[in-house]
């Protein structure tokens, strides 16, 4: 959501709710700002003073390993004060609604909220009602913008560009907020985008977004430079989308045997958590063309960049902010 149009230079505005509302320049701004932040995590002392004095609440109503921990590391490495709240163990269990929870947090003078929620639109709903910056860490089937951004950064790192790259998103597109953020981000930056999966797991009319549809993974592998393999989101499915997990692996699994027929090296991405032996086999997930763990590493730099930009930082200042307060002996 863009709420700050006072300057001609791109800014992210108040909130990051998705990649659909962002321009290509805004997406590039985040990717470029993430570059200098990568280096902070490689230092002996992984800390810069950039967000000293800011208070950030991580409000997670759904399970998460990568996103929650990457946000927490990003916040701590930027010297913000952080509080983690899970629905379990909070007053949500006593029936408190989302806005009341957030208003009570605001009464404690917070600056930013990172929210993951099972309802599509929950982050936007909150952003409209509180003055703090809101970052969507995944809302239902809608968007997971920081995952989309870290996927873009990983493609750019590995292939040197995004424009013209052919990316096929494979698997359960219907239930996937990662797929939606990837589709918006990739199309805006000029990539060619395809999806591949059972018809029952593709949103109706997906072609209208400008993506190709492949019925069979063999066709996708022949076409693609990058496969972004998605987990079957069994927790969001009613019964009946696929006959069985074994059948799904047999027909749609991204296996070494299938990849051996590729006419070129294919970069393998997966947002995690993986179901090995369902959507991907271990030889592919752990193989030489997999960038799955690099995605996780890039997730910290992307979240540092988003937190920094939403707090009013500029890309030019990012380098300066990192250099301040770092003892000379620990600089690389
Ligand atoms: N990719 C991702 O969102 O993973 P988590 O659910 O572990 O945060």
């Amino acid at each position: 959501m863009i709420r700050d149009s006072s300057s001609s230079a791109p800014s992210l505005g108040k909130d990051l709710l998705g990649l659909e509302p962002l321009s290509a320049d805004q997406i590039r701004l985040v990717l470029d700002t993430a570059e200098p932040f990568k280096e902070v995590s490689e230092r002996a002392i992984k800390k810069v003073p950039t967000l000293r004095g800011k208070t950030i609440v991580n409000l997670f109503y759904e399970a998460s390993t990568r996103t929650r921990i990457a946000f927490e590391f990003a916040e701590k490495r930027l010297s913000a004060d952080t509080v983690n709240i899970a629905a379990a163990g909070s007053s949500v269990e006593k029936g408190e609604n989302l806005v009341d929870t957030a208003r009570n947090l605001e009464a404690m003078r917070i600056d930013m909220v990172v929210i993951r929620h099972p309802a599509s639109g929950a982050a936007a709903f909150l952003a409209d009602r509180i003055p703090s910056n809101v970052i969507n860490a995944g809302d239902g089937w809608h968007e997971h913008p920081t995952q989309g951004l870290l996927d873009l950064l990983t493609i750019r790192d590995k292939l040197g560009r995004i424009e013209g790259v052919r990316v096929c998103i494979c698997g359960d597109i219907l239930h996937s907020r990662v797929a939606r953020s990837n589709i918006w981000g990739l199309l805006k930056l000029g990539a060619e985008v395809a999806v591949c999966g059972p018809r029952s797991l593709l949103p109706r009319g997906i072609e209208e977004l400008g993506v190709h549809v492949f019925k069979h993974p063999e066709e996708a592998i022949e076409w693609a430079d990058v496969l972004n393999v998605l987990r079957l989101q069994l927790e969001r499915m009613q019964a009946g989308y696929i006959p069985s997990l074994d059948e799904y692996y047999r027909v749609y699994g991204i296996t070494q045997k299938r990849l051996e027929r590729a006419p070129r090296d294919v970069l393998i991405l997966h947002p995690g958590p993986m179901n090995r032996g369902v959507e991907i086999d271990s030889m592919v997930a752990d193989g030489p063309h997999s960038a799955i763990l690099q995605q996780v590493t890039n997730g910290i730099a992307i979240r540092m960049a988003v937190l920094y930009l939403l707090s009013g930082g500029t890309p030019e200042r990012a380098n300066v902010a990192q250099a301040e307060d770092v003892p000379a002996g620990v600089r690389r």
Side-chain angles (χ1 to χ4, degrees), residues 7-270:
S7 147
S8 57
S11 81
L12 284 191
K14 174 180 167 288
D15 309 301
L16 177 66
L17 304 178
L19 297 193
E20 182 181 4
L22 296 191
S23 67
D25 280 347
Q26 287 174 307
I27 294 172
R28 278 190 216 102
L29 172 71
V30 181
L31 303 186
D32 294 344
T33 306
E35 289 296 343
F37 282 120
K38 285 178 182 171
E39 188 266 333
V40 175
S41 294
E42 305 304 325
R43 294 179 186 175
I45 296 177
K46 301 172 178 52
K47 212 164 184 76
V48 289
T50 317
L51 293 189
R52 194 158 51 196
K54 298 279 183 192
T55 304
I56 304 176
V57 174
N58 301 311
L59 191 53
F60 276 66
Y61 287 76
E62 265 191 353
S64 169
T65 299
R66 279 145 292 271
T67 310
R68 186 177 62 74
I69 293 172
F71 266 112
E72 201 176 338
F73 275 139
E75 292 154 3
K76 288 187 189 314
R77 288 175 192 181
L78 293 172
S79 303
D81 296 314
T82 66
V83 177
N84 297 319
I85 304 175
S90 76
S91 289
V92 172
E93 286 191 332
K94 299 176 193 163
E96 185 170 68
N97 70 32
L98 177 59
V99 171
D100 281 339
T101 298
R103 285 193 179 137
N104 278 274
L105 295 172
E106 293 240 292
M108 298 182 218
R109 304 292 179 254
I110 61 166
D111 298 294
M112 293 189 190
V113 178
V114 176
I115 179 170
R116 169 168 289 193
H117 199 283
S120 300
F125 181 80
L126 194 60
D128 282 342
R129 286 164 178 78
I130 63 172
S132 297
N133 306 105
V134 174
I135 302 173
N136 181 6
D139 62 330
W141 303 8
H142 172 230
E143 282 222 40
H144 189 350
T146 56
Q147 179 70 47
L149 289 163
L150 74 89
D151 292 344
L152 291 168
L153 185 63
T154 307
I155 293 170
R156 196 173 77 169
D157 283 352
K158 299 299 279 188
L159 303 184
R161 66 194 165 94
I162 294 169
E163 190 169 1
V165 170
R166 293 177 159 188
V167 183
C168 185
I169 306 166
C170 303
D172 180 0
I173 315 295
L174 181 66
H175 300 100
S176 178
R177 54 199 177 206
V178 175
R180 284 171 184 76
S181 289
N182 264 267
I183 290 169
W184 290 120
L186 287 162
L187 289 174
K188 282 168 197 261
L189 294 196
E192 285 190 61
V193 185
V195 294
C196 177
R199 198 72 234 185
S200 59
L201 292 177
L202 300 181
R204 198 169 299 167
I206 184 130
E207 299 89 340
E208 287 157 28
L209 294 180
V211 305
H212 312 278
V213 176
F214 291 117
K215 284 191 186 142
H216 306 290
E218 291 79 6
E219 295 167 322
I221 287 168
E222 169 128 14
W223 176 85
D225 301 306
V226 181
L227 295 183
N228 196 346
V229 187
L230 302 181
R231 181 173 68 88
L232 276 184
Q233 303 211 13
L234 298 170
E235 76 277 18
R236 299 191 205 282
M237 288 185 195
Q238 324 295 320
Y241 283 97
I242 52 166
S244 72
L245 295 184
D246 285 347
E247 179 80 355
Y248 183 82
Y249 179 66
R250 195 177 61 73
V251 179
Y252 291 102
I254 302 302
T255 61
Q256 186 63 25
K257 207 168 154 202
R258 288 200 162 104
L259 279 176
E260 274 163 9
R261 295 196 211 109
R264 64 190 80 80
D265 290 343
V266 179
L267 180 69
I268 302 296
L269 305 181
H270 192 307

